[in-house]
């Protein structure tokens, strides 16, 4: 485990090597009228990947997955691979609980991301050179102008065992949890930009892995990810065992209503402007808006964060251990991802390990991976997984 950390000067230098934010979308609702976002509503968003592919997700071009007792196997053997899946439907506030064993290997990044068409973003991220921490991050409207939103959270053996990582998202803010224990809370009071800086527009869920330790990556990015990737040790395997997706449909608790779609009512990107169209075609926006207003004004994250129980991980030691023979069998013949067809993901910037949000449980020592404070450059693959906790911006699928 590497232990060097960036100073403030080094952080500034690393950040200066990055291109400007490369988050993009085929249709940004802040700029023009875009197609509606289909909603999950009351429909079941659960997936048990140990049973195979899940209909709630679609694979991005170039993604080939295997499935076994550990779930969906995301395999990387070359720099150009970035296996990624995303939901076809959106949640408008809600909760996700994903059971993950992140990929081990210097330079390999595993990510679970919520992202909207106007580039609001909520992230979980794990780097393959750090087996003691997970990282969280958030962005509003693709704004990656500063590098102080990220946070780091101690977790036991994330690269060798399964844990349940959760996001509870309401109009009042975001709560991140590990194994159903709150590790970070974001509200208007501690969000950059206040209430306007909170993620608040309908989001897809995206899961994937990508290579930050590429030979063409900026030095800060490589150090943040734990070093250059040694492909003689490939394949690098990340496992997504299961996921639960619950849509709140514009309110601050699970919806019991059938939802057809979410429509941006104007170009503000505020949650109050989003129209909730029910399955029968009627407009439920007024109900959703009034339901959420009280919670928003109090700047308290929904109590569902503590009352909603995360799915338990019952993985046996045998399931958590993959033999080298199995790894060889699971190597994916994934081709280079083709150009995406919807939006490319937001990008991120991580803090320096001392950033703490209200309710966050932080390690008492600095991040153990060099460059955690520093940088992440845009991945240059056509539909690469970008995620937030490094710095500005691995390009995340569309």
């Amino acid at each position: 485990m590497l232990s060097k950390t960036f100073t403030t000067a080094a952080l500034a230098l690393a950040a200066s090597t990055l291109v400007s934010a490369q988050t993009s979308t085929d249709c940004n609702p802040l700029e023009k009228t875009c197609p509606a976002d289909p909603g999950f509503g009351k429909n079941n968003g659960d997936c048990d990947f140990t049973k195979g592919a899940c209909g709630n997700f679609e694979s991005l071009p170039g993604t080939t997955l295997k499935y076994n007792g550990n779930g969906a196997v995301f395999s990387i053997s070359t720099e150009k691979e970035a296996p990624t899946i995303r939901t076809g439907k959106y949640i408008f506030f809600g909760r996700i609980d994903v059971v993950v064993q992140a990929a081990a290997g210097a330079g390999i990044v595993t990510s679970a991301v919520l992202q909207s068409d106007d580039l609001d973003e909520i992230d979980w991220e794990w780097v393959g050179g750090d087996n003691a921490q997970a990282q969280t991050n958030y962005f509003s409207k693709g704004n990656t102008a500063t590098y102080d939103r990220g946070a780091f959270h101690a977790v036991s053996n994330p690269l060798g065992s399964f844990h349940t990582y959760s996001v509870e998202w309401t109009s009042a803010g975001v709560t991140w949890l590990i194994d159903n224990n709150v590790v970070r809370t974001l509200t208007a009071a501690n969000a950059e930009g206040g209430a306007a800086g909170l993620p608040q527009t309908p989001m897809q869920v995206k899961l994937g892995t990508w290579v930050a330790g590429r030979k063409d990556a900026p030095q800060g990015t490589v150090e943040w990810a734990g070093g250059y990737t040694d492909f003689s040790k490939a394949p690098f395997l990340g496992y997504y065992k299961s996921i639960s997706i619950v849509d709140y449909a514009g309110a601050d608790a699970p919806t019991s209503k059938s939802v057809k779609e979410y429509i941006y009512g104007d170009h503000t990107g505020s949650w109050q402007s989003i129209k909730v169209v029910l399955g029968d075609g009627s407009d439920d926006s007024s109900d959703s808006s009034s339901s959420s207003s009280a919670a928003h004004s109090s700047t308290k994250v929904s109590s569902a964060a503590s009352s909603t129980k995360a799915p338990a991980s019952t993985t046996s030691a045998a399931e958590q251990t993959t033999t080298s023979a199995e790894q060889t069998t699971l190597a994916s013949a994934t081709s280079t991802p083709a150009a995406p067809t919807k939006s490319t993901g937001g990008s991120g910037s991580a803090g320096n390990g001392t950033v703490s949000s209200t309710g966050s449980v932080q390690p008492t020592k600095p991040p153990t991976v060099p460059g955690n404070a520093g940088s992440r450059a845009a991945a240059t693959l056509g539909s690469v997984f970008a995620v937030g906790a490094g710095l500005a911006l691995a390009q995340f699928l569309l």
Side-chain angles (χ1 to χ4, degrees), residues 29-303:
L30 303 185
E31 301 171 356
K32 56 185 175 180
T33 301
C34 298
D37 296 332
F40 273 97
K42 68 178 182 180
N43 295 331
N44 191 321
D46 293 351
C47 294
D48 181 352
F49 293 117
T50 66
K51 297 179 180 179
C54 177
N56 289 329
F57 285 84
E58 58 188 9
S59 295
L60 281 238
T63 295
T64 300
L65 301 181
K66 300 285 187 178
Y67 298 87
N68 63 18
N70 282 336
V73 184
F74 287 67
S75 177
I76 289 179
S77 295
T78 70
E79 285 189 350
K80 294 184 177 181
E81 290 177 319
T84 306
I85 60 177
R86 69 176 180 193
T87 57
K89 294 182 179 180
Y90 291 65
I91 63 172
F92 178 26
F93 303 132
R95 176 163 174 150
I96 68 166
D97 299 278
V98 58
V99 181
V100 183
Q101 179 176 310
I108 303 297
V109 181
T110 303
S111 301
V113 172
L114 291 168
Q115 190 178 64
S116 68
D117 293 344
D118 67 358
L119 303 178
D120 283 347
E121 185 176 329
I122 303 170
D123 303 338
W124 272 110
E125 192 166 41
W126 307 264
V127 295
D130 185 354
N131 198 26
Q133 298 176 119
Q135 302 184 23
T136 59
N137 217 334
Y138 74 97
F139 298 92
S140 174
K141 310 299 182 282
N143 177 16
T144 55
T146 60
Y147 305 95
D148 56 0
R149 299 180 186 88
F152 305 84
H153 315 285
V155 58
S156 175
N157 192 23
L159 309 180
S161 63
F162 285 92
H163 293 275
T164 301
Y165 302 88
S166 307
V167 169
E168 172 84 8
W169 172 45
T170 72
S171 62
V174 183
T175 298
W176 289 264
L177 307 92
I178 299 178
D179 295 329
N180 215 34
N181 296 308
V182 173
V183 296
R184 182 181 184 184
T185 300
L186 176 74
T187 68
N190 57 23
E192 182 175 309
L198 293 172
Q200 56 193 279
T201 48
M203 295 190 182
Q204 290 174 295
V205 180
K206 304 176 182 183
L207 309 175
T209 54
W210 58 281
V211 183
R214 305 182 316 279
K215 290 187 290 292
D216 63 344
Q219 187 62 32
T221 299
V222 175
E223 291 184 347
W224 164 75
Y228 288 104
T229 302
D230 179 359
F231 285 98
S232 70
K233 298 180 180 179
F236 303 103
L237 306 176
Y239 301 97
Y240 288 89
K241 174 170 280 190
S242 64
I243 189 169
S244 171
I245 302 172
V246 180
D247 189 0
Y248 291 0
D252 287 330
T255 185
S256 60
K257 299 177 181 179
S258 174
V259 173
K260 178 183 179 182
E261 60 194 14
Y262 300 118
I263 299 174
Y264 286 73
D266 56 32
H267 301 307
T268 65
S270 69
W271 65 268
Q272 295 95 333
S273 71
I274 304 299
K275 296 180 180 179
V276 180
V277 180
L278 299 180
D280 60 4
S282 62
D283 186 345
D284 191 46
S285 302
S286 59
D287 292 341
S288 299
S289 178
S290 60
S291 173
S292 295
S293 292
H296 189 73
S297 61
S298 66
T299 65
K300 294 182 180 179
V301 176
S302 170
S303 59

Side-chain angles (χ1 to χ4, degrees), residues 381-396:
L381 310 179
S383 61
V384 185
F385 204 75
V387 261
L391 290 178
L393 350 200
Q395 189 181 0
F396 178 68

